Amino acid sequence: MKRLTAGITALILLLLPVVVFAQPPQITLSLGDTDEGLSPAIQIVILLTILTLLPSILIMMTSFTRLIIVFSLLRQALGVQHAPPNQVLIGMALFLTMFIMYPTFSKINTLAIQPYREGTIDMEEALSRSTEPLKDFMLKNVREKELMLFTKLSGKEYSSKEELPFHVVVPAFVMSELKTAFQIGFLIYLPFLVIDMVIASVLMSMGMMMLPPVMISLPFKLLLFVLVDGWYLLVGSLVEGFN
């Protein structure tokens, strides 16, 4: 688990300059002895592991999970299967994730990346500093119930949240994000469900039982969503929902 934490934090150290600050990372694999005591073969393995873990970090340790689930539920509630397409939804979720996580990434850059580039701290200290802002973000947005569950399942007791390890915080955070996303999705479904029920009742009273209600209700649902400025309300609420 220590290697997993080190790999995750090292990935952030390498990729944040590109994603957040538009500066290419400088990766050096020396052929001799390094200050960290890692051989070139181990460094290459770590680098490949970092690249492999990138999707997991994006999905499990940022706001991406909540955003993409809510957007998918919204599309299903509207009844449009391919509009917006998956590429648009994923793109929106990615850029909103960058916007929401920017303060956390900036703090990691200030506390860990820049000092490490300047040579004032070593790799171990940089990894230690880079984990704190990311853990703080997850702890601010995780539910107490989920934290207590995984703390209990770990079989250990911790005096404070700051002492919780990543293998306890990450699954609790993901589970909390899933619950929040489905709660938001339920609230999104309600007005569109009412429209479907009204349209279905009207069609049945007119004896048009063979006509699919979805075909008639879809324009009304789109009209309602546009009139209330749905994207503005939804995106604003999602961004403000993160501490």
Side-chain angles (χ1 to χ4, degrees):
M1 187 54 60
K2 291 183 178 179
R3 287 191 175 183
L4 175 59
T5 303
I8 292 174
T9 51
L11 171 61
I12 297 173
L13 290 174
L14 291 173
L15 296 180
L16 281 184
V18 177
V19 177
V20 182
F21 301 96
Q23 299 177 358
Q26 299 178 356
I27 305 173
T28 303
L29 298 179
S30 61
L31 298 179
D33 295 336
T34 61
D35 296 336
E36 293 80 11
L38 298 177
S39 65
I42 295 179
Q43 291 182 1
I44 294 175
V45 171
I46 293 176
L47 179 59
L48 294 177
T49 303
I50 288 173
L51 297 177
T52 304
L53 291 175
L54 177 59
S56 300
I57 294 175
L58 178 63
I59 294 174
M60 301 181 65
M61 302 177 66
T62 65
S63 58
F64 181 83
T65 299
R66 183 190 304 187
L67 296 174
I68 193 61
I69 291 178
V70 171
F71 290 157
S72 299
L73 291 176
L74 170 64
R75 185 172 63 180
Q76 294 180 14
L78 287 172
V80 287
Q81 300 299 324
H82 304 289
N86 291 330
Q87 293 85 345
V88 175
L89 295 183
I90 295 175
M92 289 178 58
L94 283 173
F95 279 96
L96 286 175
T97 298
M98 292 172 57
F99 179 80
I100 294 171
M101 299 297 297
Y102 184 82
T104 302
F105 292 161
S106 298
K107 190 178 297 184
I108 294 176
N109 178 72
T110 303
L111 297 178
I113 297 179
Q114 295 303 328
Y116 177 71
R117 284 184 169 183
E118 295 172 358
T120 57
I121 61 175
D122 56 9
M123 174 64 74
E124 183 177 356
E125 180 66 19
L127 294 177
S128 177
R129 292 187 182 185
S130 64
T131 58
E132 295 304 324
L134 199 58
K135 182 193 283 189
D136 291 342
F137 171 81
M138 290 188 290
L139 289 176
K140 289 179 181 178
N141 294 280
V142 71
R143 299 172 184 267
E144 294 289 339
K145 184 177 180 180
E146 280 73 14
L147 270 181
M148 294 178 60
L149 171 63
F150 285 96
T151 302
K152 179 180 178 181
L153 293 176
S154 66
K156 297 182 181 179
E157 296 183 359
Y158 303 93
S159 58
S160 62
K161 291 183 178 180
E162 289 72 17
E163 296 181 1
L164 293 173
F166 263 82
H167 71 274
V168 173
V169 177
V170 173
F173 174 75
V174 175
M175 188 174 176
S176 179
E177 288 294 284
L178 290 174
K179 182 177 181 179
T180 302
F182 277 92
Q183 289 177 342
I184 297 174
F186 171 76
L187 297 177
I188 292 175
Y189 257 93
L190 287 180
F192 301 124
L193 180 62
V194 172
I195 294 178
D196 285 333
M197 294 178 63
V198 171
I199 296 298
S201 300
V202 172
L203 292 177
M204 185 172 294
S205 63
M206 295 175 62
M208 305 174 64
M209 293 178 292
M210 300 302 293
L211 180 64
V214 177
M215 294 181 60
I216 308 301
S217 63
L218 178 58
F220 291 97
K221 290 190 287 186
L222 292 176
L223 179 62
L224 173 64
F225 191 72
V226 172
L227 289 178
V228 300
D229 203 356
W231 286 113
Y232 176 86
L233 295 176
L234 179 63
V235 173
S237 300
L238 286 173
V239 174
E240 292 177 357
F242 289 94
N243 297 320

